[in-house]
């Protein structure tokens, strides 16, 4: 949204010997060990606690994006209630928290009836599709009506504006997102030329490390 700044949380395991390990490596271990639920609880608590600290510093317009990690989470009947409790405790107004999901997870939830993500939206969380275009793109995921934000993977736009064909695809995706009422965030922007092209093409926000 105009005039606001968002932070996208990335969960990593700080291993004492192996360094930072991403969820693609440790998440299967957490699932097998039955640790996914306490990990989720910690993520909600840590994220909302950070927002409370921002509010104490006067950063009231900050919003936070938290990743949904696994299909297992969508089957938990208490997930949305726990998220609502953490949001209430942090004083988070509706729309200040965004849940990021992968396309696989979004489609899996849809195939199961869509109740998991719908429950999260009912408690006031926005829904973002993360890394759109990193793999085979499915327009079906944009037709489900559950999304608020579309996050374009770096792979989609990183050659723009130098590559004419890629630039045309990006402009078409931005136009489609606008027709669907979706906010668009371009991930991995690291060049001024990219930023200028995306801004001119109507991209709402960019994300970088």
């Amino acid at each position: 949204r105009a005039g606001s700044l968002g932070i996208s949380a990335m969960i990593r395991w700080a291993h004492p010997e192996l360094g930072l390990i991403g969820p693609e490596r440790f998440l299967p271990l957490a699932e097998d060990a039955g640790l996914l639920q306490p990990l989720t609880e910690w993520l909600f608590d840590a994220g909302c606690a950070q927002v409370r600290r921002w509010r104490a510093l006067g950063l009231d317009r900050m919003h936070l994006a938290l990743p949904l990690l696994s299909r297992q989470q969508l089957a938990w009947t208490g997930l949305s209630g726990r998220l609502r409790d953490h949001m209430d405790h942090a004083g988070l107004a509706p729309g200040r928290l965004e849940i990021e999901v992968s396309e696989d997870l979004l489609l899996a939830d849809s195939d199961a009836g869509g109740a998991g993500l719908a429950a999260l939206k009912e408690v006031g969380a926005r829904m973002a599709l993360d890394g759109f275009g990193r793999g085979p793109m499915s327009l079906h995921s944009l037709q489900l009506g559950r999304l608020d934000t579309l996050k374009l993977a770096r792979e989609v736009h990183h050659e723009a504006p130098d590559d004419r064909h890629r630039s045309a695809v990006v402009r078409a995706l931005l136009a489609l997102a606008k027709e669907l009422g979706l906010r668009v965030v371009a991930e991995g922007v690291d060049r001024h030329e990219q930023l200028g092209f995306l801004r001119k093409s109507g991209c709402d926000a960019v994300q970088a490390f």
Side-chain angles (χ1 to χ4, degrees), residues 13-14 17-18 28 33-34 37 43 54 73 78 80 89 92 111 125 137 140 172 180-181 187 194 200 203 205 209:
W13 176 14
E17 297 177 0
L18 302 178
Q37 197 152 356
L43 180 63
W54 287 334
Q73 293 168 303
S80 60
H89 185 59
L92 265 175
D111 291 342
M137 291 187 293
H140 177 58
L180 295 172
E187 300 176 326
Q194 279 179 301
K200 183 177 179 180
C203 190
F209 288 108

Side-chain angles (χ1 to χ4, degrees), residues 124-170:
R126 294 168 58 84
M127 201 62 54
L129 179 57
D130 186 40
F132 185 71
R134 184 170 293 123
M137 291 187 293
S138 171
L139 294 181
H140 177 58
S141 62
L142 303 183
Q143 298 171 336
L144 298 175
R146 295 183 177 86
L147 297 172
D148 301 288
T149 300
L150 182 67
K151 303 190 74 173
L152 291 181
R154 182 179 183 275
E155 291 85 343
V156 176
H157 62 77
H158 76 284
E159 295 295 341
D162 304 319
D163 187 300
R164 180 171 61 89
H165 295 286
R166 288 178 182 267
S167 298
V169 169
V170 172

